[in-house]
Amino acid sequence: MSRYPASVIQVIKHFSKLPGIGEKSAERLAMHLLRMPQKEVESLARSIVDMKQKVQLCSLCFGLSDQSVCHICANPARDPRVLCVVEQPADMVCIEKTNAFYGLYHVLHGVLSPMEGVGPENIRFKELIGRIESGEVKEVVIATGTSVEGDTTAVFLAEKLSGFGIIVTRIASGVPVGGDLKYVDPLTLKRAMETRHAI
Ligand SMILES: [Zn+2]
């Protein structure tokens, strides 16, 4: 790598810090950028900075948004009585792709993990309770992953929500145990959403 000019080495170093990109791939990407038209490279660089500046968490569901309230929460056609609880913003996108859910979301930004010291105060649990206390929610669909932490979180939530007189369901069927929603195909996830059950 040291045979490259310093500016190239800099780019390779940045790329190799990204997930799933080793030094070889980083080198290939840098070479590719050098062959790309100047305008395209500038547009790519700008879009990264732009994304970083604009994207914030939706003040209602904590999903990713360009505005203080995301397009899903702002959509009057969505059913505010059903809330789907997910671990991460990417899980929300996975469920949206299935076109099987018409309610709103709540992103926890993590799962409970007693082993790693992650408790309810470290995820958006308080905010979830706040939304339920507002009275509009009639059903909470827990769509955390099927890992031990995902299940622990689902059981914890079901227990905490049991006193609110609402229906609490869990997507399950077809989602592999230990699986991450990211790796479940949309059709399986659609079925899992449709066959959710009370917990
Ligand atoms: Zn939102």
Side-chain angles (χ1 to χ4, degrees):
M1 194 166 86
S2 59
R3 292 169 191 246
Y4 285 115
S7 62
V8 177
I9 293 173
Q10 204 53 26
V11 171
I12 295 175
K13 271 191 184 159
H14 278 296
F15 275 138
S16 43
K17 282 184 201 156
L18 297 175
I21 304 203
E23 204 182 294
K24 274 259 174 291
S25 303
E27 206 176 315
R28 244 187 335 262
L29 287 171
M31 292 305 110
H32 182 77
L33 287 178
L34 284 174
R35 285 191 301 269
M36 271 165 66
Q38 181 76 15
K39 266 201 161 61
E40 263 183 56
V41 177
E42 281 171 13
S43 164
L44 168 67
R46 252 198 319 274
S47 68
I48 294 171
V49 176
D50 203 42
M51 171 183 78
K52 194 67 187 156
Q53 282 172 344
K54 281 188 186 156
V55 172
Q56 49 184 305
L57 296 185
C58 168
S59 59
L60 297 173
C61 71
F62 304 100
L64 301 179
S65 177
D66 277 344
Q67 255 106 54
S68 68
V69 173
C70 78
H71 70 284
I72 295 173
C73 290
N75 183 350
R78 308 288 300 219
D79 187 353
R81 293 169 301 174
V82 191
L83 217 55
C84 179
V85 179
V86 293
E87 293 177 19
Q88 298 295 343
D91 298 328
M92 185 169 158
V93 176
C94 286
I95 294 173
E96 276 300 287
K97 281 187 195 160
T98 68
N99 290 318
F101 183 70
Y102 304 100
L104 299 177
Y105 292 91
H106 186 87
V107 186
L108 292 171
H109 288 273
V111 271
L112 298 179
S113 176
M115 298 285 284
E116 284 170 43
V118 183
E121 65 284 2
N122 304 114
I123 59 175
R124 301 275 183 178
F125 168 66
K126 201 169 72 240
E127 291 86 346
L128 172 66
I129 296 297
R131 291 180 79 183
I132 290 158
E133 280 173 342
S134 75
E136 211 174 359
V137 180
K138 301 284 178 245
E139 179 184 351
V140 170
V141 184
I142 304 175
T144 49
T146 51
S147 61
V148 174
E149 292 82 7
D151 271 338
T152 305
T153 309
V155 169
F156 172 83
L157 291 179
E159 196 187 301
K160 294 288 175 193
L161 300 179
S162 64
F164 286 92
I166 54 169
I167 303 166
V168 181
T169 53
R170 171 99 163 106
I171 59 160
S173 168
V175 179
V177 173
D180 195 311
L181 290 194
K182 275 203 294 293
Y183 305 118
V184 182
D185 67 284
L187 191 66
T188 305
L189 197 54
K190 182 174 192 281
R191 208 162 294 153
M193 178 61 81
E194 286 163 353
T195 57
R196 63 183 182 260
H197 57 80
I199 55 171

